[in-house]
Every structure is written in structure tokens, then in C-alpha cells.
Amino acid sequence: MTVHVAAEGGVAVVTLDRPTKHNAIDLDTAARLAALWRELRYDDEVRAVVLTGAGGRAFCTGIDRTAAVPQPPSPYSIDDPLLTIGPKANDLWIPVIAAVEGMACGGAFYLLGECEFVVASRDATFFDPHTAYGMVSAYEAVLMAQRMPYGEVARMSLMGTAERVSARRAYETGLVSELTEPGGAVAAARRAAAVIASYPTDAVQGTVRAVWAAREAARAHALAQAPHLIALGNLPPERQAALFEGRGRGEYRVR
């Protein structure tokens, strides 16, 4: 199993458990995440969730590049297995706190974009590699635009693999709400989750729903354009793969 769940005191810790793959999401993991969020809707014992990645080197690096995702022949239809990996996509209103150690990039933003807030260690980094590999950053950029200033999202999305946003810069621009020492993100997130879990459930989930409603209309309108932008702007898969295989190692700036 590539998703591990442990619950205690009303707080469930959900761990992406593919450390040798930097917790990249394959199709099985995507299906398991979607099923898990829907299962939690019926669990009265869980009142808050901490979401993290195993191994310390990465929270999540998005879709596993080895995953084969069949696509319909119509240019008006795109199948994206990451669209249903987040809690809100599965109608879950239990608050979810992300605890980020190491890298969070690309498709990880599908998860971060549907968490209530993010706790990160000081050595965490955030980046979006899409443009470097000939891909449109559509869903990821829209989700981050709900959390960060326009210029910061535009720079991160356009600079691709050449830059990584440091945890400090992510904190300064609002993506991260708390910084911890390396290895301390889960503990800090659990402390916050425990406080939230101690409050009346209906009031907490109603508040989550209200805050989400404040951004939902603009988000839905923007996301509706994503499939068409991807269909128009993405290179063919074989050209993406060639760029990915030829990528440099360690050639990036952290800001």
C-alpha cells in the first residue's frame, strides 16, 4: 500500500509512502487517496488530518512519470488522475494540514491546494517543473494562485526547474503558515490539528466550508479553462519524455 494512515486523539496522519520515488503518485496511489478521503467522510473519530510524505526527502513530486495514463482521442477531453486526489474534490470538509519536508513540486500542488494550511521545515522547497518539460502548468498554477501573490506564482510556474522557492520565501508569500526545524513539520502540524480536533466538529467543518466558498467560484472558473490550455500547449508525450530524460541534475537556484 502506498498510503499509510494512523489515527490518534481525533487526528489522522496520512502518509504518502513511496520514498524511493520521492512519493510520486502512480495510478494506484491516486485511487487510494480518492477512496481514503471519501472513507473519512464517514469516520466520526477523525476530526482533523495531517498529510505528509515518507522519507524526509520529498513531500510529493507529482505524477509518477512511469505511469501510463490513457487519453481519449478527442482534443476536448483530457483524463487527469490527479484531479481527484485532494480532500475537497471528494467532498471532505474535515480540516487537512500539510506537513512538508523536502521537495514539493508539480502535481503535489493538487494536494497542497486543497489543504487548509501548510507547515514546512526550513529545508523544504517548492517548484513547478512543467514548462521545462514542454507542459502547460494549468491546474497547478491555478491552485497556487489561490494561495500566493500573482507574481510569485507566475515566477515559480515559468522558471520551471531553474529555481526552487525556499521554505522561507514560501512563508513570506503566504503559501506556508509555519516553519519548523528539519524533521519537525509533522509534529508541528499534529499540534495544530489536535487543537482543531478538540473543537466541536460541526463548527469546524462549517468554517472550512465557508473559507473554501470564498475562493471556490474563481477557482472553478479558472480550472474550467485548464483542459483546453493543456491540449493546446503541451508537447507530445515523447518530446516531453526526451526533455525529462535530458534534464540537468542539481542545476537550480533556491530563492
Side-chain angles (χ1 to χ4, degrees), residues 143-165:
L143 290 164
M144 289 300 97
Q146 301 288 309
R147 293 186 172 273
M148 301 169 71
Y150 174 88
E152 291 295 323
V153 177
R155 179 165 181 159
M156 180 172 67
S157 301
L158 294 171
M159 291 297 287
T161 58
E163 275 191 356
R164 297 187 182 184
V165 178

Side-chain angles (χ1 to χ4, degrees), residues 51-245:
L51 175 64
T52 193
R57 296 178 62 192
F59 168 77
C60 174
T61 53
I63 190 74
D64 188 327
R65 292 286 303 185
T66 66
V69 183
Q71 294 295 330
S74 170
Y76 300 102
S77 301
I78 294 177
D79 285 344
D80 184 341
L82 300 189
L83 282 176
T84 56
I85 64 171
K88 306 301 185 297
N90 291 284
D91 199 34
L92 179 74
W93 302 105
I94 295 172
V96 180
I97 303 168
V100 177
E101 301 274 355
M103 296 182 290
C105 65
F109 298 157
Y110 286 73
L111 292 169
L112 297 184
E114 294 196 9
C115 290
E116 271 49 70
F117 54 90
V118 179
V119 176
S121 72
R122 297 183 188 280
D123 60 0
T125 56
F126 305 81
F127 64 102
D128 188 346
H130 279 73
T131 54
Y133 302 142
M135 304 167 68
V136 174
S137 177
Y139 293 107
E140 296 84 357
V142 168
L143 290 164
M144 289 300 97
Q146 301 288 309
R147 293 186 172 273
M148 301 169 71
Y150 174 88
E152 291 295 323
V153 177
R155 179 165 181 159
M156 180 172 67
S157 301
L158 294 171
M159 291 297 287
T161 58
E163 275 191 356
R164 297 187 182 184
V165 178
S166 67
R168 169 56 60 180
R169 185 61 182 160
Y171 175 76
E172 292 169 347
T173 56
L175 174 59
V176 171
S177 67
E178 181 180 353
L179 294 177
T180 74
E181 295 305 313
V186 170
R190 287 191 68 160
R191 285 193 294 272
V195 172
I196 295 168
S198 72
Y199 298 152
T201 299
D202 289 349
V204 167
Q205 293 192 24
T207 300
V208 170
R209 190 67 187 86
V211 173
W212 185 256
R215 53 194 262 194
E216 194 169 24
R219 175 181 176 273
H221 182 73
L223 289 178
Q225 301 183 52
H228 313 298
L229 298 173
I230 292 169
L232 287 168
N234 274 19
L235 289 178
E238 61 273 13
R239 291 186 63 190
Q240 294 178 27
L243 289 171
F244 185 78
E245 291 301 321

